[in-house]
Amino acid sequence: MRTLAFMIVLAEVLILGPLMLLYGQVDPCRALAAEMANREGPTSLVGDIINGDPEVAARRDIADLSTGQCYVRIYQSWIHRITG
């Protein structure tokens, strides 16, 4: 029984740990929005006023995704970042 509990906790740490370390949160959809905003690059102050916060815009774009779809997209984003 302890082995099963250990495996569950280990899986949670391996899945949620990187999200917490990289984005400061464990919600994969919010982390995906932060990743999308970071990939967009720095914006000017005028651009922020006109277009709004890029993370908020990214959250709007991914609002209809499920948690699983957000995990898949953030994983794909990491792979794309690594491979170029």
Side-chain angles (χ1 to χ4, degrees), residues 1-83:
M1 192 64 161
R2 284 187 282 176
T3 303
L4 178 62
F6 173 77
M7 296 301 284
I8 291 171
V9 169
L10 181 64
E12 288 176 353
V13 168
L14 291 176
I15 292 170
L16 301 177
L19 293 178
M20 188 64 179
L21 288 174
L22 294 171
Y23 306 106
Q25 54 200 351
V26 294
D27 180 18
C29 291
R30 286 184 176 247
L32 178 60
E35 174 75 11
M36 291 170 64
N38 289 340
R39 284 181 151 268
E40 185 176 306
T43 57
S44 67
L45 182 60
V46 175
D48 283 345
I49 293 170
I50 294 171
N51 298 325
D53 184 15
E55 188 172 339
V56 172
R59 284 187 198 165
R60 231 178 325 201
D61 292 341
I62 63 169
D64 60 337
L65 297 180
S66 69
T67 301
Q69 290 171 324
C70 288
Y71 273 120
V72 169
R73 288 216 180 159
I74 200 163
Y75 177 75
Q76 290 171 342
S77 178
W78 291 346
I79 294 298
H80 181 69
R81 182 183 286 192
I82 291 169
T83 60

